[in-house]
Amino acid sequence: MAPSSSGWKNPVSPETSAGLGAVTKARSNKLRSRHVTMITLGGIIGASLFVGSGNVIRTVGPAAVLSYLLGGLLVFLAMRMLGEMAASRPAIGSFMEYARVGLGDWAAYLVGWLYWYFWVGVLAYEAVLGGETMHTWFPGVPSWGWSLILLAVFVGTNVISVRTFGEVEFWLASIKVLAIVVFLGAGILFALGLWPQATFAVPNLWEHGGFAPNGIGVAFTGVALVIFSYFGTEIAVMASAESVDPAKGIRQATSTIIWRILLFFVGSVLVIVTVVPWDELPAPTDVANAPFTVALSRFGIPGADVIMQLVIFTAVISVLNSGLYSASRMFSALADKGFAPKIVARRSRNGVPVMALLASTIGGLIATLVNFLTPGSGIFDFIMNSAGLVALFVYVFIALTQLRLRQRMTPEEVAALKLKMWLHPWLNIFLIVAIAAVVVVMLTTESGRSQVWTSLIATGVLLVFWPLVRRNLRARRLDRESVAPVTGSANEGVGND
């Protein structure tokens, strides 16, 4: 088939990222619809919401609701753009593959490695939090020992098959979703004074220094931390590429994100700042001091803190499980395209990128051990701060890529899109400008500047190595051309820089 004007070759083919064919050989190894559904619902609910939201609330006050609304809007727009591309061409590499085709190799290299870096940090974050929780319950084993055990367990669930990953994630996500629904129901009753021994608590939204006690601008600064909580919504799109019905899964993931954001994130934060005065929340140093635990303890339910700790622990290991999946798939996709060592692309007979999984685990393991060996290094705060801006970078790339690919399409191709971004290209421009505005606001505060510079450092390191990677890519293409000078590669001439 001749290439379309959009730059895609075989645009509706599901085999768009190297290695996808290996995954789709055995139908029994694919994710089922229920797996994708629950990954879509609960995949982004993790410790960054249950615990990290305390940092946002303590910094912003009740106006943290606005931080979550604004962050949710940006994520919603980015996911809709990603959904348009993925519905036409599902890919394991997801937005990295689309950036390669739409913007060039440099963009794919940068966004892919930034994404992998994000998830390696998340692996350390969740492993440390999970290890500390287990040590609280079973002090006979040190926290670092439990962290290593948790990493080993979920490497095992991922290495067996994608179906095993999906089954484990289905049950873990189910617990998270059910817990938040119950929390929201009880919280609304408590806030309205309809809960036993409760009083009308809605005035907590403005009685403790105002709705925005530290200024409304701080709510914009809090978006970087909020983005950290939301980042992971794209997992459902990546998982859909390995499901029985990729197109259905992608449509489901992108069309339901808005109410998931409003219900699980905005709704939960609104309940917390209503039930508990924002200035009475303790620093969320562990699960026992998490804002959800503090709020639930006010309901007077016996053992509520223990119940919440179990729920939060479930969320921690769920994100650890899905983080290993995301990091390994992106690392493998990077290797498939020549942006990482070729050995990383090796897969098992079940289609699992084993070498990418192990390499990602080593990265997370190193970060975890550094946290325990040098506790004063502030790695917990570093991950919470720098990863948020990395997420903003990724969303900008998604907006630019979708903008470029749509420009290349004919009117007939645009009309045939099963999932379409609205008001193109104006919402793309809005998303990019909004993210730039958030970065500018962040530069006005000391903590915000720290977030910006740490993220720029990570990006700068990647740019230093780009000339070497580009030279290797050229050598690789020359080798392919010498082997197949007539037919060339299926992707030759697309996305090259």
Coordinates of all heavy atoms in Angstrom, one line a residue, residues 388-445:
G388 N 7.0 15.7 37.7 CA 5.8 16.4 37.3 C 6.1 17.2 36.0 O 5.3 17.3 35.1
L389 N 7.3 17.9 35.9 CA 7.6 18.7 34.8 C 7.9 17.8 33.6 O 7.7 18.1 32.4 CB 8.8 19.6 35.1 CG 9.0 20.7 34.1 CD1 7.8 21.6 34.0 CD2 10.2 21.6 34.5
V390 N 8.5 16.6 33.8 CA 8.7 15.6 32.8 C 7.4 15.3 32.1 O 7.3 15.1 30.9 CB 9.4 14.3 33.3 CG1 9.4 13.2 32.3 CG2 10.9 14.7 33.7
A391 N 6.3 15.1 32.9 CA 5.0 14.8 32.4 C 4.5 16.0 31.5 O 4.0 15.7 30.5 CB 4.0 14.6 33.6
L392 N 4.8 17.2 31.9 CA 4.4 18.3 31.1 C 5.2 18.3 29.7 O 4.6 18.6 28.7 CB 4.8 19.7 31.8 CG 4.0 20.0 33.1 CD1 4.4 21.3 33.7 CD2 2.5 20.0 32.8
F393 N 6.4 17.9 29.7 CA 7.2 17.8 28.5 C 6.5 16.8 27.6 O 6.3 17.0 26.4 CB 8.6 17.3 28.8 CG 9.5 18.3 29.4 CD1 10.6 18.0 30.1 CD2 9.2 19.7 29.4 CE1 11.5 18.9 30.7 CE2 10.0 20.6 30.0 CZ 11.1 20.3 30.6
V394 N 6.1 15.6 28.1 CA 5.5 14.6 27.3 C 4.2 15.0 26.7 O 3.9 14.8 25.5 CB 5.3 13.3 28.2 CG1 4.4 12.3 27.5 CG2 6.6 12.7 28.6
Y395 N 3.4 15.8 27.5 CA 2.1 16.2 26.9 C 2.3 17.3 25.8 O 1.5 17.3 24.9 CB 1.3 16.8 28.1 CG 0.8 15.8 29.1 CD1 0.8 16.1 30.4 CD2 0.4 14.5 28.6 CE1 0.3 15.1 31.3 CE2 -0.1 13.6 29.5 CZ -0.1 13.9 30.9 OH -0.5 12.9 31.8
V396 N 3.3 18.1 25.9 CA 3.6 19.0 24.8 C 4.0 18.2 23.6 O 3.5 18.6 22.5 CB 4.8 20.0 25.2 CG1 5.3 20.7 24.0 CG2 4.3 20.9 26.3
F397 N 4.8 17.2 23.7 CA 5.2 16.4 22.5 C 3.9 15.7 21.9 O 3.8 15.6 20.7 CB 6.2 15.3 22.9 CG 7.6 15.8 22.9 CD1 8.3 16.0 24.0 CD2 8.2 16.0 21.6 CE1 9.7 16.5 23.9 CE2 9.5 16.5 21.5 CZ 10.2 16.7 22.7
I398 N 3.0 15.3 22.8 CA 1.8 14.7 22.3 C 1.0 15.7 21.4 O 0.5 15.4 20.4 CB 0.9 14.1 23.4 CG1 1.6 12.8 24.0 CG2 -0.5 13.7 22.9 CD1 0.9 12.3 25.2
A399 N 0.9 16.9 22.0 CA 0.1 17.9 21.3 C 0.8 18.3 19.9 O 0.1 18.4 18.9 CB 0.0 19.2 22.1
L400 N 2.1 18.4 19.9 CA 2.8 18.8 18.7 C 2.7 17.6 17.7 O 2.5 17.9 16.5 CB 4.3 19.1 19.0 CG 4.5 20.4 19.8 CD1 6.0 20.4 20.2 CD2 4.1 21.6 19.0
T401 N 2.8 16.4 18.1 CA 2.7 15.3 17.2 C 1.4 15.2 16.6 O 1.3 15.0 15.4 CB 3.1 14.0 18.0 OG1 4.4 14.1 18.6 CG2 3.0 12.8 17.0
Q402 N 0.3 15.2 17.4 CA -1.0 15.1 16.8 C -1.3 16.3 15.9 O -1.9 16.1 14.8 CB -2.1 15.1 17.9 CG -3.5 14.8 17.5 CD -4.3 16.0 17.1 OE1 -4.0 17.1 17.6 NE2 -5.3 15.8 16.3
L403 N -0.8 17.5 16.2 CA -0.9 18.6 15.3 C -0.3 18.4 13.9 O -0.9 18.6 12.9 CB -0.3 19.8 15.9 CG -0.4 21.2 15.2 CD1 -1.9 21.6 15.1 CD2 0.4 22.2 15.9
R404 N 0.9 17.8 14.0 CA 1.7 17.6 12.7 C 1.0 16.4 11.9 O 0.9 16.6 10.7 CB 3.1 17.2 13.1 CG 4.0 16.8 11.8 CD 4.2 18.0 10.9 NE 4.9 19.1 11.6 CZ 6.3 19.1 11.7 NH1 7.0 18.2 11.1 NH2 6.9 20.1 12.3
L405 N 0.6 15.4 12.6 CA 0.0 14.2 11.8 C -1.3 14.6 11.2 O -1.7 14.2 10.1 CB -0.1 13.0 12.8 CG 1.2 12.4 13.2 CD1 0.9 11.2 14.1 CD2 2.0 11.9 12.0
R406 N -2.1 15.4 11.9 CA -3.4 15.9 11.4 C -3.2 16.8 10.1 O -3.9 16.7 9.2 CB -4.2 16.6 12.4 CG -5.5 17.1 11.9 CD -6.6 16.1 11.7 NE -7.2 15.7 13.0 CZ -8.2 16.3 13.5 NH1 -8.8 17.4 12.9 NH2 -8.7 15.9 14.7
Q407 N -2.2 17.6 10.2 CA -1.9 18.5 9.1 C -1.5 17.7 7.8 O -1.8 18.1 6.7 CB -0.7 19.4 9.4 CG -1.1 20.5 10.4 CD 0.2 21.3 10.8 OE1 1.3 20.9 10.6 NE2 -0.1 22.5 11.4
R408 N -1.0 16.5 8.0 CA -0.6 15.7 6.8 C -1.7 14.9 6.2 O -1.6 14.3 5.2 CB 0.5 14.7 7.2 CG 1.9 15.3 7.7 CD 2.8 14.2 8.1 NE 4.1 14.8 8.5 CZ 5.1 14.1 9.0 NH1 5.0 12.8 9.1 NH2 6.3 14.7 9.3
M409 N -2.8 14.8 6.9 CA -4.0 14.0 6.5 C -4.8 14.7 5.4 O -4.9 16.0 5.4 CB -4.9 13.7 7.6 CG -4.3 12.7 8.6 SD -5.5 12.3 9.9 CE -4.6 11.1 10.9
T410 N -5.4 13.9 4.5 CA -6.3 14.5 3.5 C -7.7 14.6 4.2 O -7.9 14.0 5.3 CB -6.5 13.5 2.4 OG1 -7.0 12.3 2.8 CG2 -5.1 13.2 1.7
P411 N -8.6 15.4 3.6 CA -9.9 15.6 4.2 C -10.6 14.2 4.4 O -11.4 14.0 5.3 CB -10.6 16.5 3.2 CG -9.5 17.3 2.6 CD -8.3 16.4 2.5
E412 N -10.4 13.3 3.4 CA -11.0 12.0 3.5 C -10.5 11.2 4.7 O -11.3 10.5 5.4 CB -10.8 11.2 2.2 CG -11.4 11.8 1.0 CD -10.8 13.0 0.4 OE1 -9.6 13.3 0.8 OE2 -11.4 13.8 -0.4
E413 N -9.2 11.3 5.0 CA -8.6 10.6 6.1 C -9.1 11.2 7.4 O -9.4 10.4 8.4 CB -7.1 10.7 6.0 CG -6.5 9.8 4.9 CD -5.0 10.1 4.8 OE1 -4.5 11.2 5.1 OE2 -4.3 9.1 4.4
V414 N -9.2 12.5 7.5 CA -9.8 13.1 8.7 C -11.2 12.7 8.9 O -11.6 12.4 10.1 CB -9.7 14.7 8.6 CG1 -10.4 15.3 9.8 CG2 -8.2 15.1 8.5
A415 N -12.0 12.7 7.9 CA -13.4 12.3 8.0 C -13.5 10.8 8.5 O -14.5 10.4 9.1 CB -14.1 12.5 6.7
A416 N -12.5 10.0 8.1 CA -12.6 8.6 8.5 C -12.1 8.3 9.9 O -12.2 7.1 10.3 CB -11.8 7.8 7.5
L417 N -11.6 9.2 10.6 CA -11.1 9.0 12.0 C -12.2 8.5 12.9 O -13.3 9.1 12.9 CB -10.5 10.3 12.5 CG -9.1 10.7 11.9 CD1 -8.7 12.1 12.5 CD2 -8.0 9.7 12.3
K418 N -11.9 7.5 13.6 CA -12.9 6.9 14.5 C -13.0 7.7 15.8 O -14.0 7.7 16.5 CB -12.6 5.4 14.8 CG -12.7 4.5 13.6 CD -12.4 3.1 13.9 CE -12.5 2.2 12.7 NZ -12.2 0.8 13.1
L419 N -11.9 8.3 16.2 CA -11.8 9.1 17.4 C -11.1 10.4 17.0 O -10.0 10.4 16.5 CB -11.0 8.4 18.5 CG -11.1 9.0 19.9 CD1 -12.5 8.9 20.4 CD2 -10.1 8.3 20.8
K420 N -11.8 11.6 17.2 CA -11.3 12.8 16.6 C -11.1 13.9 17.7 O -12.0 14.0 18.6 CB -12.2 13.3 15.5 CG -11.7 14.5 14.7 CD -12.7 15.0 13.7 CE -13.0 13.9 12.7 NZ -13.9 14.3 11.6
M421 N -10.0 14.6 17.7 CA -9.8 15.7 18.6 C -10.6 16.9 18.1 O -10.7 17.2 17.0 CB -8.3 16.1 18.6 CG -8.0 17.2 19.5 SD -8.3 16.7 21.3 CE -8.3 18.3 22.1
W422 N -11.3 17.6 19.1 CA -12.1 18.7 18.8 C -11.3 20.0 18.5 O -10.2 20.1 19.0 CB -13.1 19.0 20.0 CG -13.8 17.7 20.5 CD1 -14.8 17.0 20.0 CD2 -13.4 17.1 21.8 NE1 -15.1 15.9 20.8 CE2 -14.3 16.0 21.9 CE3 -12.5 17.3 22.8 CZ2 -14.3 15.1 23.0 CZ3 -12.5 16.5 23.8 CH2 -13.3 15.4 23.9
L423 N -11.9 20.9 17.8 CA -11.4 22.2 17.6 C -9.9 22.3 17.2 O -9.1 23.1 17.7 CB -11.6 23.1 18.9 CG -13.1 23.3 19.3 CD1 -13.1 24.1 20.6 CD2 -13.9 24.0 18.3
H424 N -9.6 21.3 16.3 CA -8.2 21.3 15.9 C -7.9 22.5 15.0 O -8.8 22.9 14.1 CB -8.0 20.0 15.1 CG -6.6 19.9 14.5 ND1 -5.6 19.3 15.3 CD2 -6.1 20.2 13.3 CE1 -4.5 19.3 14.6 NE2 -4.7 19.8 13.4
P425 N -6.8 23.2 15.1 CA -5.7 23.0 16.0 C -5.7 23.8 17.3 O -4.7 23.9 18.0 CB -4.5 23.4 15.2 CG -5.0 24.6 14.4 CD -6.5 24.3 14.1
W426 N -6.9 24.5 17.6 CA -6.9 25.5 18.7 C -6.7 24.9 20.0 O -6.0 25.5 20.9 CB -8.2 26.2 18.6 CG -8.4 26.9 17.3 CD1 -9.3 26.6 16.3 CD2 -7.6 28.0 16.7 NE1 -9.2 27.4 15.2 CE2 -8.1 28.3 15.5 CE3 -6.5 28.7 17.2 CZ2 -7.6 29.3 14.7 CZ3 -6.0 29.7 16.4 CH2 -6.5 30.0 15.2
L427 N -7.2 23.7 20.3 CA -7.0 23.1 21.6 C -5.5 22.6 21.7 O -5.0 22.5 22.9 CB -8.0 21.9 21.8 CG -9.4 22.3 22.1 CD1 -10.3 21.1 22.3 CD2 -9.5 23.3 23.3
N428 N -4.9 22.2 20.6 CA -3.5 21.9 20.7 C -2.7 23.1 21.2 O -1.8 23.0 22.0 CB -3.0 21.5 19.3 CG -3.6 20.2 18.8 OD1 -4.8 20.3 18.5 ND2 -2.9 19.1 18.8
I429 N -3.0 24.3 20.5 CA -2.3 25.5 20.9 C -2.6 25.9 22.4 O -1.7 26.3 23.1 CB -2.7 26.6 20.0 CG1 -2.3 26.3 18.5 CG2 -2.1 28.0 20.4 CD1 -2.8 27.3 17.5
F430 N -3.9 25.7 22.8 CA -4.2 26.0 24.1 C -3.5 25.1 25.1 O -3.0 25.6 26.1 CB -5.7 25.8 24.4 CG -6.2 25.8 25.8 CD1 -6.3 27.0 26.5 CD2 -6.4 24.6 26.5 CE1 -6.7 27.1 27.8 CE2 -6.8 24.7 27.8 CZ -6.9 25.9 28.5
L431 N -3.3 23.8 24.8 CA -2.6 22.9 25.7 C -1.1 23.4 25.9 O -0.6 23.4 27.0 CB -2.7 21.5 25.2 CG -1.9 20.5 26.0 CD1 -2.4 20.4 27.5 CD2 -2.0 19.1 25.4
I432 N -0.5 23.7 24.8 CA 0.9 24.1 24.8 C 1.1 25.4 25.5 O 2.0 25.5 26.4 CB 1.4 24.2 23.3 CG1 1.4 22.8 22.7 CG2 2.9 24.8 23.3 CD1 1.7 22.9 21.2
V433 N 0.2 26.4 25.3 CA 0.3 27.6 26.0 C 0.0 27.5 27.5 O 0.7 28.1 28.3 CB -0.7 28.7 25.3 CG1 -0.7 29.9 26.2 CG2 -0.3 29.0 23.9
A434 N -0.9 26.7 27.8 CA -1.3 26.4 29.2 C -0.1 25.8 30.0 O 0.2 26.2 31.1 CB -2.5 25.6 29.3
I435 N 0.5 24.8 29.3 CA 1.7 24.2 30.0 C 2.8 25.2 30.1 O 3.5 25.2 31.2 CB 2.1 23.0 29.2 CG1 1.1 21.9 29.3 CG2 3.5 22.5 29.6 CD1 1.4 20.6 28.5
A436 N 3.1 26.0 29.1 CA 4.1 27.1 29.2 C 3.8 28.0 30.3 O 4.7 28.5 31.1 CB 4.2 27.8 27.9
A437 N 2.5 28.4 30.5 CA 2.1 29.3 31.6 C 2.4 28.7 32.9 O 2.8 29.3 33.9 CB 0.6 29.6 31.4
V438 N 2.1 27.4 33.1 CA 2.3 26.7 34.3 C 3.8 26.7 34.7 O 4.2 27.0 35.8 CB 1.8 25.2 34.3 CG1 2.3 24.4 35.5 CG2 0.3 25.2 34.2
V439 N 4.7 26.5 33.7 CA 6.1 26.5 33.9 C 6.6 27.9 34.3 O 7.4 28.1 35.2 CB 6.9 26.1 32.6 CG1 8.4 26.3 32.8 CG2 6.6 24.7 32.3
V440 N 6.0 29.0 33.7 CA 6.4 30.4 34.1 C 6.0 30.6 35.5 O 6.8 31.2 36.3 CB 5.7 31.4 33.1 CG1 5.8 32.8 33.6 CG2 6.2 31.2 31.7
V441 N 4.8 30.2 35.9 CA 4.3 30.4 37.3 C 5.3 29.7 38.3 O 5.6 30.2 39.3 CB 2.9 30.0 37.5 CG1 2.5 30.0 38.9 CG2 2.0 30.9 36.6
M442 N 5.7 28.5 37.9 CA 6.5 27.7 38.7 C 7.9 28.4 39.0 O 8.5 28.3 40.0 CB 6.8 26.3 38.1 CG 5.6 25.4 38.1 SD 5.8 23.9 37.1 CE 7.2 23.2 38.0
L443 N 8.3 29.1 38.0 CA 9.6 29.8 38.1 C 9.6 31.0 39.1 O 10.6 31.5 39.5 CB 10.1 30.4 36.7 CG 10.5 29.3 35.7 CD1 10.7 29.9 34.4 CD2 11.8 28.6 36.2
T444 N 8.4 31.3 39.6 CA 8.3 32.5 40.5 C 8.4 32.0 41.9 O 8.5 32.9 42.8 CB 6.9 33.1 40.3 OG1 5.8 32.2 40.7 CG2 6.7 33.6 38.9
T445 N 8.5 30.7 42.2 CA 8.7 30.2 43.6 C 9.9 29.4 43.6 O 10.4 28.8 42.6 CB 7.5 29.4 44.0 OG1 7.4 28.2 43.2 CG2 6.2 30.1 43.8

